[in-house]
Amino acid sequence: MSVITISREFGSGGRELGKRLAEKLGCAYYDQEIITEIASRTALSEQYVQQIIEKKPAASYPIHIGRTFHPTTSYHASQSQKIFKEQCQILREMAEKSDCVIVGRCADYILREHDPFRIFVYADMERKIARCRAKGAEDETLTDRQMKQQIQGVDKNRAQYYGFCTGGKWGDRKNYDLCINTTNIEIKTIVQMIAKMFE
Amino acid sequence: MSVITISREFGSGGRELGKRLAEKLGCAYYDQEIITEIASRTALSEQYVQQIIEKKPAASYPIHIGRTFHPTTSYHASQSQKIFKEQCQILREMAEKSDCVIVGRCADYILREHDPFRIFVYADMERKIARCRAKGAEDETLTDRQMKQQIQGVDKNRAQYYGFCTGGKWGDRKNYDLCINTTNIEIKTIVQMIAKMFE
């Protein structure tokens, strides 16, 4: 192996899968580290980078199209592009440094020349809500309906960001080597299964 | 394990995967056997059963809806329903008899009460064409374009049949536990991987 990328629906356990898989394979794991590194290189705050990355970029020409016909007018859009450029650079450095598992960040697309093994993780809404509840945190007081809306909101942003950066459809099976439904399968079992491919 | 169902795009290697997996797990494998058994029980020819099953059933009320508002008018539609009923019965008998791998036949839906492990196999068009060519047979003289049309035609029928019988969307990841892209992964590797889950 060299690079495994994990895209995931919110609450599907994709991050846990990534961490455990990297541990099992004895390789690097990148997730929040990427945001931290972008922030450090761009002198923007982590919070701001996170916000730009998790929201739909402001109306501007899609990043994945090489040339721009319209001059970028908004400050927000130019920040988006600056952050995306750093993101690409950092991901490439990570992929070249060592074997690694990368969660999110359109890494499946950005690192396509490295032939990553591309995983998409998903689950039924009920299971995702249960997983979010089990993690606890500040969402404890939300009703199921509110939590569902939150999950759908995060995934909508992810889909928009992916579409904006890659021109492709987030979650479309064609963009992945393996799509895993974590509704009925334990993450531990999935880790054993995937690790088997890289033995 | 008890039942593994495999749905697959034409030319994606799903049947090979099913056979090898059953061999590896030492369990029964059903595919064409189901058609043979339906033919035998309904006193229809195998060829006729195959034709009914592989084409979109004639305009009639979808089978998955329990009650019929309109009387079934066409002979073809009543044959479709008769065959589907036998198909359900045979699949249930197979699932109850022993552990097995079943390819096609909406088994993922029909056997849902048996909690099957549901796999969907797919690949890029280029890879599917190459796989069809490698298998040879009578299609050797087809151009790539003709072969693509043939592949799309078979899959369109499968999708329609699945929709008609189950009310669900064929190939929609939500209906499966694992979706596997065989474009870049060897079938043998996938067999090793999946078998690991059932050890």
Side-chain angles (χ1 to χ4, degrees):
Chain A
M1 79 162 272
S2 53
V3 178
I4 295 175
T5 64
I6 298 182
S7 311
R8 77 294 182 209
E9 287 180 357
F10 187 74
S12 68
R15 184 178 286 190
E16 185 191 338
L17 171 61
K19 270 189 199 163
R20 286 181 186 267
L21 189 56
E23 208 174 280
K24 173 90 179 163
L25 296 170
C27 69
Y29 169 80
Y30 301 116
D31 176 4
Q32 191 60 32
E33 293 79 358
I34 301 166
I35 307 286
T36 311
E37 189 60 26
I38 296 173
S40 138
R41 292 192 192 185
T42 55
L44 298 168
S45 77
E46 270 189 53
Q47 201 183 9
Y48 181 75
V49 173
Q50 187 96 44
Q51 194 188 323
I52 292 278
I53 275 182
E54 289 190 347
K55 299 281 176 209
K56 183 187 178 185
S60 72
Y61 213 72
I63 291 171
H64 71 280
I65 300 191
R67 52 203 177 123
T68 311
F69 295 107
H70 309 285
T72 304
T73 46
S74 90
Y75 174 73
H76 180 81
S78 88
Q79 289 294 56
S80 277
Q81 297 202 348
K82 182 175 166 187
I83 286 170
F84 187 72
K85 202 177 148 196
E86 280 302 337
Q87 183 174 320
C88 291
Q89 179 60 27
I90 291 165
L91 286 176
R92 283 189 202 109
E93 288 173 22
M94 285 169 168
E96 277 154 27
K97 201 158 68 180
S98 68
D99 289 354
C100 57
V101 173
I102 301 174
V103 174
R105 305 280 75 78
C106 309
D108 56 300
Y109 175 82
I110 293 170
L111 296 177
R112 63 196 179 282
E113 282 163 23
H114 289 76
D115 280 330
F117 186 75
R118 304 156 302 166
I119 299 172
F120 187 84
V121 186
Y122 63 103
D124 289 356
M125 184 53 76
E126 208 174 295
R127 189 75 181 86
K128 290 189 287 191
I129 290 173
R131 212 172 240 126
C132 288
R133 291 221 183 279
K135 279 201 293 188
E138 74 277 19
D139 302 331
E140 275 170 17
T141 56
L142 296 183
T143 64
D144 275 7
R145 197 177 157 194
Q146 287 169 323
M147 209 166 238
K148 182 180 168 184
Q149 283 173 339
Q150 196 186 48
I151 291 171
Q152 286 173 331
V154 172
D155 283 350
K156 196 175 163 195
N157 285 338
R158 284 180 183 170
Q160 284 179 327
Y161 188 73
Y162 188 87
F164 180 77
C165 295
T166 74
K169 196 177 161 210
W170 183 76
D172 181 342
R173 64 171 184 258
K174 291 184 198 74
N175 298 328
Y176 310 98
D177 297 294
L178 206 61
C179 303
I180 306 169
N181 188 339
T182 56
T183 306
N184 300 313
I185 325 176
E186 291 292 320
I187 302 288
K188 283 180 193 173
T189 310
I190 298 169
V191 169
Q192 297 288 336
M193 180 185 83
I194 298 174
K196 185 75 188 170
M197 296 191 67
F198 298 100
E199 274 175 6
Chain B
M1 79 162 271
S2 52
V3 179
I4 296 176
T5 64
I6 298 183
S7 310
R8 75 293 183 212
E9 288 181 354
F10 187 74
S12 68
R15 184 178 286 191
E16 185 191 338
L17 170 61
K19 271 189 198 162
R20 286 181 186 268
L21 189 57
E23 209 172 278
K24 172 91 178 162
L25 296 171
C27 70
Y29 168 81
Y30 301 117
D31 176 4
Q32 191 60 32
E33 293 79 359
I34 302 165
I35 307 287
T36 311
E37 189 60 26
I38 296 173
S40 139
R41 292 192 192 184
T42 55
L44 298 168
S45 77
E46 270 190 51
Q47 201 184 7
Y48 181 76
V49 173
Q50 187 97 42
Q51 195 188 321
I52 293 277
I53 275 182
E54 289 190 348
K55 299 282 176 209
K56 183 187 176 185
S60 73
Y61 212 73
I63 292 172
H64 71 277
I65 300 192
R67 53 204 176 123
T68 312
F69 294 107
H70 309 286
T72 304
T73 48
S74 92
Y75 175 72
H76 180 82
S78 87
Q79 289 293 57
S80 276
Q81 297 202 349
K82 184 175 165 187
I83 286 170
F84 187 72
K85 204 178 146 195
E86 279 303 337
Q87 183 175 320
C88 292
Q89 180 59 26
I90 291 165
L91 287 176
R92 283 190 201 109
E93 288 173 22
M94 285 168 167
E96 277 154 27
K97 201 156 71 179
S98 68
D99 289 355
C100 57
V101 174
I102 301 174
V103 174
R105 305 278 75 79
C106 309
D108 56 299
Y109 175 82
I110 293 170
L111 297 177
R112 62 197 180 283
E113 281 164 23
H114 289 76
D115 281 331
F117 186 75
R118 304 156 302 165
I119 299 173
F120 186 84
V121 186
Y122 63 102
D124 289 356
M125 184 53 76
E126 208 173 296
R127 187 76 180 87
K128 289 189 286 191
I129 290 173
R131 212 172 241 127
C132 288
R133 291 220 182 279
K135 278 200 294 188
E138 75 278 19
D139 302 331
E140 275 171 16
T141 57
L142 296 182
T143 64
D144 275 7
R145 197 178 157 194
Q146 287 169 324
M147 210 166 237
K148 182 180 168 184
Q149 282 173 339
Q150 197 186 48
I151 291 171
Q152 286 173 332
V154 172
D155 283 350
K156 196 176 163 195
N157 285 337
R158 285 180 182 170
Q160 284 179 328
Y161 187 74
Y162 188 87
F164 180 76
C165 295
T166 74
K169 198 176 160 211
W170 183 77
D172 182 342
R173 64 171 185 258
K174 290 184 198 74
N175 298 326
Y176 310 98
D177 297 294
L178 205 61
C179 303
I180 307 170
N181 187 340
T182 56
T183 306
N184 300 313
I185 326 177
E186 291 292 320
I187 302 288
K188 284 179 193 173
T189 309
I190 298 169
V191 170
Q192 297 288 336
M193 179 186 83
I194 299 175
K196 185 76 186 170
M197 295 190 70
F198 298 100
E199 275 176 5

